[in-house]
Amino acid sequence: MAKSLVVVESPAKAKTINKYLGKDFKVVASMGHIRDLPKSKLGVDVDEGFAPAYEAIPGRKKVIKELRAAAKNATDIYVATDPDREGEAIGWHLASELGGKKKKIHRLTFNEITKKAILEALEHPGDIDQQMVDAQQARRVLDRLVGYKLSPLLWDKVRRGLSAGRVQSVALRLVCDREEEISRFKSEEYWHIFARLAADQPPEFDAKLTKKDGETIAVGNEAESKVVLDAVADASFVVSKVATKERKKSAAPPFITSKLQQASKMPVKRTMMIAQQLYEGIELPGEGAVGLITYMRTDSTRVSAEAIDDARNHIASTFGDDFVPKKPNTFRTKKNTQDAHEAIRPTSMQYGPETVKPHLSREQYTLYRMIWNRFVASQMLPARFDDTTVDIDAAAYTLRVKGSVLKFNGWMAAHGLAAEEKADEVASPTGDANGQDDAVSGALPAMQPGDRLELKQLRPEQKFTQPPPRFSEATLVKELEENGIGRPSTYAAIIGVLQAREYVEKIEGRFKPTRLGSLVTDLLAKSFDDILAVEYTRDLEESLDKIEGGDADYRSTIENFYGKFSVDLTQAAKSMPNIKAEGLPSEEVCDKCKSPMVVKVGRFGMFLACSSYPDCQNTRELETADTGPDEEAEACENCGKPMVVKRGRFGQFLACSGYPDCKTTRKLIATKEGLAAAKPDQMLDEKCPRCESNLVIKHGRFGEFTACSSYPKCRYVKLKPTGVACPKDGGDIVERKSRRGRAFYGCSNYPDCDFTLWNKPLIEPCPECKAPFLVEKVTKRHGRQLLCHKEECDYVRSEELAAV
């Protein structure tokens, strides 16, 4: 019996949709794109309107054959690819392969994979949107023209295997420009002066020096701070002004793709992969595969009226009517927003995070809970605070303190934080990037103008201005988004290429350009200043949006770009220095023939080579400030010869200069300052409890640790005990390190016991509920606190931080 054929991209999506459609439909997967531009040639006819020459992707030929066979006897063919440009283009290619004169291809679009959404899409099928297809093709062809014209230029001038891209190169320039800012930055000293004061009623609080004789004051050094301290040490501290006003803080809009990527603690690529799983369907008992979130590639904060009604009903039943605004909350959309899809939200309020948690992985649950909380909070009333600002006069000086008290938690209730933590989260200090902020407290004691305050302590704090930080994945995504470079769906690929090409390296989670990345950026910037310009790239992205909206056409957009690009390309072929043949001049001299050394680029990065090659074939690793060794070379622990920096297939490392007679090597590990040599292993007299071999102190990514010297035969690692027994099975609670290097505490019997804590346990029973131990929590606001580890117990007390 003939069936209607529905084609989607992935097997997981096919499985979920097939459940909703029943026996009259056959749902198959194309496995993504089935056709693309050829890899072996440009594939774009620049003389015939930039017509792309598509061909079947080699790995998809079998899939195409199976799709054609399935389509042969189908009554109707529906393309149900993702509802974005890329999905529309895939649908267009599928229609070209499966359609014909007698068969019409129907387009199904939906924002969520739910039964209602799928059946509704079937009732209102559409056609392939040619304008969306043209916009995708324009992006693909532009990227191909840049990539296939610029990359060979780099192969000729620098080294084979390098690549350049229309968006990738701009992203790399952002990283390089930031690094240049950091290197030019000159730190400046400044001082903060705080007074610990007490009113008639507790609590005590810190007030910060802000003015002298009514004018803003900046304390620049220790001598100036001593002048202030001497002037106010014996002065009377009198309240001069008290101002209280209510402040409202509204909830953030539901997630768009870029904001989800920034908020997630996972790499961008991982975030999108987990979101894709939640979108395509999670197996739930008795229901099969269920799509838990709407489409995860969107830059719109729009939400359907039905979803808003469901959220408002959920808020009323969960938190009460007092948390529901009279009218639904709406959010402004940015210029150039593609409003085809809703914001990222749960598909149904019946699938709460805790309800589905047993069926999700840890990463899936974490991401889903973020999406759920953000969406629910977005339809709740603002939080309200009473903010109090108190000015205090002391001689000619004025000090200020700001207090904030939470009156109504509003949308913050959706995030499940304690009231004090919520206040901390939103009552952030106001100030500039150099820390010129006011002292911020929680609840302040009642004060009136004229009240005298008791001085408990004067505290000067030396500070230094800090350079802008390097980009993390989240902040690089934010920079790309704010500058209109690329699209949220492309950010993961952009970051991945920069790392794969070794143009950037990650140091403690932040991107630093490699010498190769800086070199490529410098060469391209001199010849293709427009392509690497943020404004130019942003304008080009807007042109792609205009194609989709029908306000521009494919051919003229590419012609306008290619005209200047081809001229620049011809000029660059003549003017760009030939590093491959001649190298870059350096100040180094060959230690064998005394000829000048030049910088060249090899398989494993940049290196120094003798300019007299091939007569002299001497080479040397290019020294860099990041490789850690001090002015005096470190000696090999085995033969005493100097250790030198080498580069292999896994990056840089230290090796003995006596190679091949001595083959001692040492890892280089990433630190905040750059790369540093790992300490040599230190053998201990202590025996391994598992195999009786000696234990050894090693140095890894997250610092020193003690392990068995028989690794990998024995994988014992000695963990730091806390002396507290696990409440689950009585094992020892020991200190561990997460994948990101953060300390946490867990049972030594892991994986048999999965008990964990983020806060350090202490051997002290809870005075209230008699739980066997307390935990230590240290925050900027409260200092050191001891709390009961049981969630249902509210015991807490403050303690002084131990002296270091």
Side-chain angles (χ1 to χ4, degrees):
M1 179 179 175
K3 296 183 179 182
S4 294
L5 183 69
V6 179
V7 188
V8 298
E9 292 108 310
S10 73
K13 192 174 177 182
K15 182 180 179 182
T16 306
I17 293 176
N18 191 63
K19 179 187 70 171
Y20 299 136
L21 294 182
K23 61 182 181 180
D24 293 332
F25 291 83
K26 181 177 182 180
V27 187
V28 295
S30 71
M31 310 302 291
H33 279 279
I34 58 170
R35 298 196 309 185
D36 197 6
L37 298 174
K39 284 190 174 183
S40 58
K41 56 184 180 181
L42 182 64
V44 179
D45 192 339
V46 296
D47 298 321
E48 294 296 329
F50 300 94
Y54 294 111
E55 61 180 32
I57 297 173
R60 296 287 185 269
K61 289 183 178 180
K62 182 179 178 182
V63 173
I64 293 173
K65 185 177 180 181
E66 292 172 349
L67 290 174
R68 284 176 176 167
K72 187 175 182 180
N73 298 318
T75 55
D76 292 280
I77 300 174
Y78 297 90
V79 171
T81 47
D82 286 345
D84 58 10
R85 288 179 190 166
E86 209 69 27
E88 206 71 22
I90 294 173
W92 181 75
H93 287 297
L94 287 167
S96 300
E97 290 289 340
L98 306 182
K101 294 181 180 179
K102 297 182 180 179
K103 288 186 183 290
K104 178 173 174 58
I105 304 293
H106 305 283
R107 177 73 167 111
L108 298 184
T109 56
F110 38 83
N111 191 52
E112 59 188 58
I113 304 179
T114 60
K115 186 173 183 178
K116 180 179 179 181
I118 301 301
L119 296 180
E120 188 174 322
L122 269 174
E123 291 178 5
H124 304 93
D127 298 317
I128 299 292
D129 187 332
Q130 191 58 45
Q131 289 175 183
M132 286 184 71
V133 174
D134 286 346
Q136 190 276 341
Q137 285 192 121
R139 177 186 293 279
R140 186 73 185 93
V141 168
L142 285 169
D143 290 345
R144 172 56 66 99
L145 290 172
V146 173
Y148 271 49
K149 295 288 187 179
L150 277 190
S151 296
L153 179 65
L154 292 178
W155 298 356
D156 290 340
K157 300 290 187 177
V158 185
R159 191 201 77 193
R160 190 169 184 83
L162 299 180
S163 74
R166 184 181 64 85
V167 179
Q168 159 203 326
S169 298
V170 183
L172 177 58
R173 183 172 189 171
L174 290 174
V175 176
C176 292
D177 286 350
R178 176 59 59 88
E179 194 65 27
E180 192 175 334
E181 279 186 73
I182 294 170
S183 64
R184 289 199 312 260
F185 183 84
K186 293 182 179 179
S187 184
E188 295 181 3
E189 179 185 11
Y190 67 97
W191 286 69
H192 282 169
I193 295 176
F194 294 95
R196 185 74 171 175
L197 301 170
D200 291 339
Q201 300 294 326
E204 295 179 1
F205 58 90
D206 287 332
K208 177 180 171 286
L209 177 74
T210 57
K211 295 180 179 180
K212 180 183 180 183
D213 295 326
E215 299 293 330
T216 301
I217 183 173
V219 181
N221 52 51
E222 186 175 11
E224 292 178 10
S225 74
K226 287 182 177 178
V227 171
V228 177
L229 293 173
D230 291 341
V232 301
D234 298 321
S236 297
F237 287 79
V238 181
V239 176
S240 60
K241 182 180 177 182
V242 179
T244 300
K245 65 178 181 179
E246 184 181 81
R247 174 172 57 90
K248 292 183 179 180
K249 183 171 180 67
S250 299
F255 279 122
I256 59 175
T257 306
S258 58
K259 299 303 182 189
L260 181 65
Q261 292 170 346
Q262 292 167 45
S264 170
K265 301 298 184 184
M266 296 179 286
V268 172
K269 184 177 180 181
R270 186 73 180 166
T271 298
M272 295 307 292
M273 186 175 72
I274 300 300
Q276 183 92 29
Q277 295 167 1
L278 295 172
Y279 166 69
E280 293 186 341
I282 299 295
E283 290 289 334
L284 300 180
E287 297 188 65
V290 174
L292 293 181
I293 66 169
T294 54
Y295 191 55
M296 64 285 158
R297 293 186 180 94
T298 177
D299 56 3
S300 172
T301 56
R302 178 177 59 83
V303 176
S304 69
E306 183 181 356
I308 289 175
D309 288 342
D310 288 345
R312 288 167 65 85
N313 292 333
H314 170 78
I315 293 164
S317 61
T318 305
F319 304 101
D321 292 332
D322 292 342
F323 288 80
V324 185
K326 290 181 180 179
K327 293 182 179 180
N329 294 333
T330 57
F331 303 91
R332 281 190 234 169
T333 56
K334 295 189 306 179
K335 182 185 175 184
N336 300 327
T337 293
Q338 296 179 22
D339 200 40
H341 319 300
E342 293 183 52
I344 305 171
R345 61 167 176 82
T347 56
S348 173
M349 289 289 99
Q350 76 181 80
Y351 301 118
E354 302 310 315
T355 302
V356 298
K357 183 178 181 180
H359 316 294
L360 302 178
S361 69
R362 186 184 66 178
E363 290 176 321
Q364 289 171 341
Y365 167 73
T366 299
L367 201 65
Y368 183 59
R369 185 180 59 185
M370 283 174 54
I371 294 168
W372 174 281
N373 288 346
R374 178 102 162 204
F375 172 63
V376 171
S378 72
Q379 288 303 320
M380 296 174 73
L381 282 168
R384 298 199 307 272
F385 298 84
D386 272 342
D387 286 352
T388 302
T389 301
V390 181
D391 286 348
I392 302 150
D393 289 341
Y397 297 92
T398 300
L399 299 94
R400 174 171 288 182
V401 62
K402 290 185 177 181
S404 187
V405 178
L406 182 68
K407 290 173 60 178
F408 173 66
N409 54 4
W411 61 270
M412 294 180 185
H415 291 273
L417 300 172
E420 287 184 346
E421 290 176 320
K422 292 171 194 169
D424 287 345
E425 182 178 316
V426 297
S428 57
T430 57
D432 61 24
N434 293 329
Q436 304 291 338
D437 52 85
D438 296 319
V440 178
S441 181
L444 292 173
M447 289 179 279
Q448 298 293 330
D451 287 355
R452 289 182 175 272
L453 305 175
E454 180 184 355
L455 175 64
K456 295 290 186 179
Q457 181 190 25
L458 281 173
R459 187 178 79 253
E461 288 186 2
Q462 185 184 32
K463 303 280 186 178
F464 292 92
T465 55
Q466 299 296 314
R470 290 176 178 142
F471 290 114
S472 64
E473 286 205 15
T475 55
L476 183 54
V477 164
K478 184 179 180 182
E479 190 78 7
L480 293 171
E481 179 194 21
E482 290 179 349
N483 285 288
I485 299 171
R487 283 293 175 195
S489 57
T490 65
Y491 294 155
I494 293 168
I495 292 172
V497 169
L498 294 182
Q499 293 178 279
R501 300 296 182 189
E502 295 187 351
Y503 290 159
V504 299
E505 59 186 349
K506 256 190 178 180
I507 297 178
E508 298 213 334
R510 294 188 175 269
F511 293 120
K512 179 180 181 182
T514 60
R515 282 184 175 268
L516 179 60
S518 297
L519 173 64
V520 168
T521 297
D522 186 53
L523 291 173
L524 294 179
K526 289 176 180 176
S527 299
F528 303 93
D529 57 332
D530 51 353
I531 288 182
L532 265 66
V534 169
E535 298 80 8
Y536 184 84
T537 307
R538 179 172 57 239
D539 291 344
L540 204 53
E541 293 290 344
E542 291 176 0
S543 297
L544 298 177
D545 294 341
K546 289 179 181 178
I547 294 174
E548 182 175 338
D551 299 321
D553 68 89
Y554 168 87
R555 180 169 181 169
S556 62
T557 298
I558 299 180
E559 279 180 346
N560 291 337
F561 168 84
Y562 192 72
K564 185 176 187 309
F565 174 67
S566 59
V567 173
D568 290 344
L569 194 67
T570 302
Q571 183 61 34
K574 300 175 182 177
S575 61
M576 188 178 287
N578 194 332
I579 298 171
K580 191 174 184 178
E582 302 168 5
L584 288 173
S586 79
E587 297 179 357
E588 299 292 322
V589 176
C590 177
D591 52 358
K592 291 187 177 179
C593 72
K594 305 306 178 184
S595 298
M597 299 287 276
V598 294
V599 179
K600 290 198 172 185
V601 181
R603 283 182 60 197
F604 303 126
M606 299 172 71
F607 64 97
L608 287 169
C610 183
S611 58
S612 295
Y613 179 87
D615 296 331
C616 177
Q617 300 185 17
N618 185 29
T619 62
R620 197 160 70 229
E621 185 73 19
L622 187 64
E623 292 183 9
T624 159
D626 300 328
T627 51
D630 299 325
E631 295 179 5
E632 186 175 341
E634 186 175 347
C636 171
E637 63 263 27
N638 291 323
C639 71
K641 291 183 178 179
M643 299 288 281
V644 294
V645 178
K646 297 285 186 182
R647 181 179 286 273
R649 55 184 298 204
F650 300 116
Q652 291 178 312
F653 63 97
L654 281 179
C656 181
S657 57
Y659 180 88
D661 297 328
C662 178
K663 297 182 179 180
T664 301
T665 61
R666 186 99 53 77
K667 286 191 295 184
L668 287 170
I669 58 175
T671 67
K672 289 182 179 179
E673 291 73 31
L675 294 176
K679 296 178 182 178
D681 293 349
Q682 181 182 345
M683 195 68 70
L684 302 176
D685 293 332
E686 185 179 352
K687 300 294 184 181
C688 172
R690 292 184 184 173
C691 69
E692 292 299 315
S693 298
N694 284 62
L695 294 181
V696 62
I697 297 176
K698 292 180 172 287
H699 198 87
R701 316 175 45 187
F702 305 123
E704 289 185 347
F705 66 98
T706 303
C708 183
S709 59
S710 295
Y711 177 87
K713 184 185 294 183
C714 176
R715 296 177 178 267
Y716 172 78
V717 176
K718 184 179 179 180
L719 299 171
K720 186 177 178 180
T722 63
V724 177
C726 174
K728 274 193 173 182
D729 67 354
D732 295 328
I733 297 180
V734 295
E735 182 178 330
R736 296 179 177 273
K737 288 287 180 69
S738 70
R739 291 176 61 187
R740 294 178 179 272
R742 180 180 171 186
F744 72 99
Y745 303 87
C747 182
S748 59
N749 293 328
Y750 177 84
D752 296 328
C753 178
D754 61 357
F755 178 79
T756 57
L757 292 165
W758 280 114
N759 297 316
K760 183 179 180 180
L762 302 173
I763 310 174
E764 181 182 336
C766 175
E768 288 190 8
C769 72
K770 308 304 179 186
F773 62 88
L774 299 176
V775 294
E776 178 187 66
K777 184 176 182 180
V778 180
T779 63
K780 288 183 179 179
R781 170 166 162 66
H782 297 293
R784 181 174 182 258
Q785 290 182 312
L786 302 186
L787 308 89
C788 182
H789 81 280
K790 290 189 175 181
E791 292 184 3
E792 60 270 19
C793 180
D794 296 328
Y795 177 77
V796 58
R797 80 168 186 266
S798 296
E799 295 275 346
E800 290 294 327
L801 283 168
V804 179

